């Protein structure tokens, strides 16, 4: 890629930011200086809480008003001082000349408006485009970012799309006005490797077409290797290393950079008994969602989310479910837990639970638990950590308060959380700590089976490695059985004994994880494996 050295699109000089009110201001970034040239991609990496997103949000003054303080420094975009320009000037730049992709699309997209309206609105504001022309352009952009049936999806609300589809809508919204600078804050976190590769390739093509600069924030170093020209590493609010991409990866100078590079998922699944009995058996599982139409809302078609799913999971083993967004992975998991209606056989510990009603399922609920992808959404923000972890015990058992408190403290120790923090609230913890809280909530009921739905995808590499080690330790200690849903094949390889590859609701290929990864038979599996090895 040719970079114009004479033109800096963005310059951040000695930026220090703090949070607080009155005299109680806590500084979170310290003298951060970065420059991005036209057509260049600068990757900003570091652990959660290192100051990456604070630095990125400061560019457009998107930090919370009243509690955020720009203590010193300057941010210059095309000779405009961003920290001193008016709100009116900022509105003209935001979404138009500078696009931004946020990490959590469900929070960023308006749940009350259809996707089409939100895309059309940004075109009307920044380009004064009429509705019919804007809708046509919106559909073409949804195609560009890999959304199937864009003419239908443009009429959908955010909650009707998968996580990966919502993220792609956010990418389309950020790029539709062809910005000069794109700030991408973990834009591919929720995407599987094949779609991730498509999006990264798309960003590179658009960058070359428009001469667009990118500030790319990520915790995934394989993405950095693929897309970045230069890398800036942050730790505890300070910039500790910056340099050309290959130079930083080949000869990292700072110990923290070396730690990040060496924290990719590694190791093998835990040892298991070859004589283990089956705990979960699924046969001919089908989840079809009806599509109604006409005056009487008759069923006219079906969304075939899962068809002919079949596998057996032995006690103490882990099975990985991998595939694209919308391939049916999470739907399969929800069907097994009887959280969505399905057809077929689901046997747990020899008993067919498919025919059980809500009351009949109650004894199985404590034995089958789930850890969701986004712990911030999964944890009730109005409940303390002790209340969150102990909620299941209160439902299933009749313990006194003292016994309950001891059990909560004990399980917090198991997941490496300080029991003294049990009266705090989820928003006071980091992403990795919140995921540990979610694991503790599942673990306290002493389950035999845990569904793990993308539990490490939103975590940076170092924290991800810690959570994976924790899951393995707990599996050995308690003989836990995991169904692990993920788009990260390196994580699956580290944790799972057996892997099932899904596409369009059906099994493409399945087998022993190490064998499947070493010698994939199907073209789709070969593509996934090759992309994960980048």
């Amino acid at each position: 890629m040719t970079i114009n050295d004479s033109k800096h699109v963005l310059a951040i000089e000695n930026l220090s930011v703090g949070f607080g009110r009155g005299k109680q201001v806590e500084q979170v970034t310290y003298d951060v200086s970065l420059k991005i040239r036209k057509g260049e991609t600068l990757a900003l990496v570091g652990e959660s809480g290192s100051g990456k997103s604070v630095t990125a949000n400061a560019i457009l003054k998107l930090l919370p008003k009243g509690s955020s303080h720009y203590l010193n420094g300057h941010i210059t975009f095309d000779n405009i001082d961003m920290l001193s320009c008016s709100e009116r000037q900022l509105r003209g730049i935001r979404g138009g000349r500078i696009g931004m992709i946020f990490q959590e699309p469900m929070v960023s997209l308006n749940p009350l408006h259809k996707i089409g309206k939100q895309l059309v609105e940004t075109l009307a504001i920044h380009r004064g485009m009429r509705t019919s022309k804007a809708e046509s352009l919106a559909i073409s952009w949804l195609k560009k970012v890999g959304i199937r049936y864009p003419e239908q999806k443009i009429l959908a609300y955010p909650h009707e799309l998968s996580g990966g589809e919502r993220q792609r809508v956010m990418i389309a919204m950020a790029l539709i006005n062809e910005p000069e600078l794109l700030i991408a804050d973990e834009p591919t976190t929720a995407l599987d490797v094949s779609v991730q590769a498509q999006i990264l390739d798309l960003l590179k093509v658009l960058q070359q077409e428009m001469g667009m600069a990118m500030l790319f924030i990520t915790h995934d170093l394989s993405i950095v290797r693929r897309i970045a020209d230069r890398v800036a590493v942050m730790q505890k609010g300070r910039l500790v290393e910056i340099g050309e991409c290959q130079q930083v990866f080949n000869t990292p100078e700072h110990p923290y950079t070396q730690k990040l590079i060496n924290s990719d998922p590694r190791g093998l699944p835990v040892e298991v008994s070859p004589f283990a009995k089956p705990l979960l058996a699924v046969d001919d599982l089908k989840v079809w969602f009806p599509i109604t139409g006409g005056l009487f809302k008759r069923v006219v078609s079906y969304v075939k989310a899962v068809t002919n799913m079949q596998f057996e999971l032995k006690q103490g083993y882990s099975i990985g479910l991998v595939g694209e967004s919308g391939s049916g992975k999470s739907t399969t998991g929800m069907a097994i837990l009887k959280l969505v209606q399905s057809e077929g056989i689901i046997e747990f510990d020899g008993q067919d639970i498919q025919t059980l009603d809500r009351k009949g399922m109650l004894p199985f609920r404590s034995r089958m638990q789930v850890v969701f992808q986004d712990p911030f959404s999964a944890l009730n923000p109005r409940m303390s950590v002790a209340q969150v972890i102990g909620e299941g015990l209160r439902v299933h058992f009749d313990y006194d308060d003292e016994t309950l408190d001891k059990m909560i403290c004990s399980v917090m120790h198991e997941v490496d959380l300080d029991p003294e923090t049990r009266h705090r609230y989820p928003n006071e913890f980091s992403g990795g700590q919140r995921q540990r809280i979610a694991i503790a909530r599942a673990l306290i009921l002493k389950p035999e089976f845990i569904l793990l739905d993308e539990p490490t995808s939103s975590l940076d590499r170092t924290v991800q490695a810690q959570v994976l080690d924790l899951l393995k330790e707990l599996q050995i200690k308690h003989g836990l059985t995991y169904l692990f849903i993920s788009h990260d094949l390196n994580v699956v390889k580290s944790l799972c004994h057996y892997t099932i590859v899904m596409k369009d609701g059906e099994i493409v290929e399945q087998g022993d994880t190490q064998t499947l990864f070493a010698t994939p038979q199907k073209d789709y599996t070969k593509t996934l494996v090759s992309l994960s090895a980048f």
Side-chain angles (χ1 to χ4, degrees):
M1 181 184 294
T2 303
I3 297 169
N4 184 349
D5 289 304
S6 64
K7 177 68 173 175
H8 285 110
V9 176
L10 181 79
I12 301 174
E13 299 174 44
N14 301 317
L15 179 68
S16 298
V17 175
F19 290 98
R21 296 187 182 275
K23 294 181 180 179
Q24 301 296 316
V25 176
E26 181 182 355
Q27 191 168 344
V28 293
T29 68
Y30 302 82
D31 297 315
V32 175
S33 294
L34 295 169
K35 288 184 178 180
I36 307 174
R37 298 184 288 262
K38 183 178 180 181
E40 178 186 39
T41 299
L42 174 67
L44 192 57
V45 301
E47 290 180 324
S48 300
S50 63
K52 307 186 303 293
S53 293
V54 169
T55 301
N57 283 312
I59 295 167
L60 289 170
K61 293 185 74 175
L62 293 175
L63 298 173
K65 289 182 180 177
S67 62
S68 58
H69 301 270
Y70 301 92
L71 303 175
N72 63 266
H74 300 279
I75 301 173
T76 308
F77 170 73
D78 193 24
N79 297 319
I80 301 167
D81 186 345
M82 298 294 286
L83 297 184
S84 62
C85 70
S86 68
E87 190 64 30
R88 185 177 178 181
Q89 278 182 294
L90 279 173
R91 280 198 301 269
I93 294 171
R94 290 176 186 147
R97 300 185 66 190
I98 299 180
M100 189 154 188
I101 305 168
F102 296 97
Q103 181 174 356
E104 181 43 67
M106 199 58 189
V107 175
S108 306
L109 294 171
N110 190 326
L112 303 177
H113 292 159
K114 293 178 180 179
I115 296 304
K117 183 176 180 180
Q118 297 185 57
L119 287 165
V120 166
E121 187 177 41
T122 188
L123 288 167
I125 290 170
H126 293 286
R127 293 166 70 173
M129 198 174 285
R130 292 186 176 182
T131 303
S132 59
K133 189 177 179 182
E135 284 179 353
S136 177
L137 185 59
I139 289 170
S140 72
W141 268 95
L142 291 180
K143 282 181 184 173
K144 274 188 176 183
V145 296
I147 288 185
R148 291 179 292 178
Y149 316 117
E151 294 85 359
Q152 295 173 22
K153 295 293 171 71
I154 203 168
L155 301 174
Y157 290 93
H159 72 272
E160 296 177 300
L161 304 180
S162 71
E165 287 173 327
R166 287 194 292 265
Q167 191 64 284
R168 279 174 268 182
V169 170
M170 279 296 303
I171 291 167
M173 196 173 290
L175 296 178
I176 201 166
N177 285 307
E178 300 182 4
E180 297 157 55
L181 170 66
L182 177 67
I183 301 170
D185 191 354
E186 301 276 11
T188 58
T189 294
L191 305 181
D192 53 84
V193 288
S194 58
V195 178
Q196 186 181 88
Q198 293 168 19
I199 294 298
L200 294 176
D201 290 343
L202 172 66
L203 289 174
K204 289 167 90 171
V205 168
L206 292 169
Q207 188 175 33
Q208 289 171 344
E209 284 179 6
M210 302 185 292
M212 180 178 70
M214 268 199 290
L215 177 61
F216 201 100
I217 299 168
T218 183
H219 63 259
D220 190 334
L221 297 181
S222 64
I223 290 177
V224 176
R225 287 188 182 100
R226 185 185 185 102
I227 201 169
D229 298 302
R230 289 190 301 132
V231 184
V233 183
M234 288 191 75
Q235 182 190 28
K236 296 179 181 177
R238 300 180 191 275
L239 202 62
V240 296
E241 187 164 352
I242 188 166
E244 298 298 319
C245 187
Q246 288 305 117
Q247 173 201 329
V248 170
F249 276 101
N250 293 338
T251 54
E253 296 178 2
H254 197 276
Y256 178 69
T257 310
Q258 295 166 8
K259 178 186 171 186
L260 280 182
I261 291 170
N262 292 325
S263 60
D264 280 348
R266 58 189 61 201
L268 296 172
V270 302
E271 288 188 20
V272 286
S273 168
F275 307 108
K277 294 179 180 179
L279 179 67
L280 177 70
V282 174
D283 189 25
D284 197 25
L285 184 69
K286 183 172 86 171
V287 184
W288 287 12
F289 298 108
I291 300 171
T292 57
L295 182 63
F296 299 103
K297 299 293 181 184
R298 290 179 177 146
V299 175
V300 295
S301 184
Y302 291 90
V303 174
K304 299 178 181 180
V306 177
T307 305
N308 300 326
M309 174 57 68
Q310 182 177 357
F311 65 87
E312 185 178 81
L313 178 54
K314 293 181 179 180
Q315 179 74 49
Y317 280 69
S318 302
I319 284 183
L321 271 185
V322 301
E324 295 178 353
S325 298
S327 63
K329 306 186 302 294
S330 294
T331 304
T332 298
M334 294 300 103
I336 288 166
L337 295 175
K338 284 182 65 67
L339 297 177
V340 296
Q341 195 170 353
S342 65
E343 296 177 19
I345 297 170
I346 306 171
E347 283 189 3
F348 185 81
D349 197 17
Q351 183 167 347
D352 185 2
I353 63 172
Q354 182 68 284
T355 57
L356 298 179
D357 58 14
R358 187 173 177 272
K359 187 177 180 181
M361 272 300 295
L362 200 59
F364 291 91
R365 291 293 179 206
S366 61
R367 300 173 69 188
M368 305 170 74
Q369 286 292 298
V370 60
V371 177
F372 293 103
Q373 177 177 353
D374 180 13
F376 196 71
S377 299
L379 304 179
N380 190 329
R382 294 184 178 89
M383 294 170 70
S384 69
V385 166
Q387 290 172 322
V388 167
I389 294 173
E391 186 179 18
L393 286 177
R394 293 185 185 92
V395 171
H396 291 281
F397 305 100
D398 188 24
Y399 293 118
D400 59 67
D401 289 344
E402 186 179 348
T403 304
L404 200 64
D405 192 56
K406 284 181 180 177
M407 293 176 76
I408 291 166
C409 290
S410 175
V411 79
M412 288 184 74
H413 268 303
E414 276 200 89
V415 298
D416 294 326
L417 287 171
D418 183 359
E420 294 298 315
T421 64
R422 66 189 183 280
H423 301 301
R424 295 183 187 173
Y425 289 84
N427 68 312
E428 299 177 68
F429 293 83
S430 71
Q433 289 172 322
R434 285 197 292 265
Q435 200 57 284
R436 288 171 187 270
I437 293 166
I439 293 169
R441 177 174 62 179
L443 193 65
I444 200 167
L445 290 166
K446 295 182 169 52
E448 295 151 70
F449 168 80
I450 299 180
L451 170 65
L452 299 158
D453 192 354
E454 301 272 16
T456 60
S457 67
S458 61
L459 307 177
D460 55 76
R461 274 291 193 243
T462 50
V463 178
Q464 186 181 82
Q466 293 164 15
V467 171
L468 279 175
D469 288 342
L470 172 65
L471 289 172
K472 289 181 182 180
E473 288 169 17
L474 295 172
Q475 189 171 28
I476 294 168
K477 184 176 180 181
H478 300 289
L480 292 171
T481 305
Y482 295 145
L483 181 61
F484 190 87
I485 296 169
S486 182
H487 65 261
D488 190 333
L489 271 64
N490 292 314
V491 172
V492 171
K493 192 175 181 180
S494 172
L495 185 73
C496 299
H497 306 89
Y498 194 85
T499 298
I500 298 171
V501 182
M502 293 186 71
K503 190 176 191 297
D504 298 330
E506 297 192 44
I507 295 174
V508 174
E509 189 172 352
Q510 59 181 315
D512 171 77
T513 299
Q514 306 306 318
T515 305
L516 189 75
F517 279 48
T519 56
Q521 301 300 308
K522 302 293 184 180
D523 289 341
Y524 179 67
T525 313
K526 289 176 183 176
T527 300
L528 290 182
V529 171
S530 64
L531 289 169
S532 69
F534 192 91

